[in-house]
Amino acid sequence: MFRYRKKVGLSFEEAERKFKEELKKRGYKVVLEMNASEVIKRNVGAEFEPYKIFYICNPKVFYEMTKREYEIGSFAPCPVLLYKKEDNVYFAINTAEEILDIIREPLEVVKDILKEL
């Protein structure tokens, strides 16, 4: 599996805000959000640097993808990681070749947004 990762020169909070703003401009939105660092703290009792998983979707694009591969739902909504590690903030997405053709458009939208941050 290949991962596209981008270090951004923003605070964690600013990166999250800008990312969501850019998604909205392109007709996408976060449909589910998981604060993994809070889950770890609550369930494991360990401190963990900020780490969120966003699941993004554009319903129209998702519908069109299901016409090509009905079980695309195992890959969509598209997961996007936002995390802080050693005082750096990163975004990361999976870009496995096996699914790339089917989910190319949403991934390209996310990659374009990440390049601009």
Side-chain angles (χ1 to χ4, degrees):
M1 180 177 294
F2 178 76
R3 179 156 298 185
Y4 176 83
R5 179 178 41 205
K6 169 99 190 301
K7 182 166 86 172
V8 294
L10 302 167
S11 71
F12 189 87
E13 294 78 12
E14 183 71 5
E16 179 177 353
R17 185 186 65 72
K18 283 189 168 191
F19 178 66
K20 288 178 177 177
E21 286 174 1
E22 291 301 318
L23 282 173
K24 186 175 181 179
K25 289 178 186 177
R26 291 167 171 85
Y28 286 77
K29 65 179 183 175
V30 174
V31 295
L32 181 65
E33 184 174 320
M34 182 180 136
N35 187 331
S37 50
E38 288 297 319
V39 171
I40 289 169
K41 184 176 183 175
R42 185 174 55 249
N43 293 291
V44 179
E47 291 296 322
F48 196 71
E49 290 189 276
Y51 193 112
K52 287 189 174 182
I53 305 166
F54 303 111
Y55 294 91
I56 66 149
C57 184
N58 175 313
K60 183 179 177 185
V61 173
F62 178 76
Y63 175 67
E64 293 301 320
M65 289 189 309
T66 62
K67 290 180 181 178
R68 289 189 57 197
E69 174 53 57
Y70 196 74
E71 295 179 349
I72 193 64
S74 63
F75 293 101
C78 300
V80 179
L81 305 178
L82 170 61
Y83 62 93
K84 184 175 180 180
K85 187 171 184 180
E86 299 170 358
D87 292 324
N88 294 303
V89 177
Y90 298 89
F91 281 97
I93 58 175
N94 292 323
T95 57
E97 292 298 321
E98 307 87 59
I99 63 165
L100 190 56
D101 286 342
I102 298 170
I103 62 172
R104 183 175 308 279
E105 181 183 343
L107 289 175
E108 290 303 319
V109 167
V110 172
K111 282 173 68 175
D112 288 344
I113 291 169
L114 299 181
K115 287 177 185 177
E116 295 171 11
L117 293 179

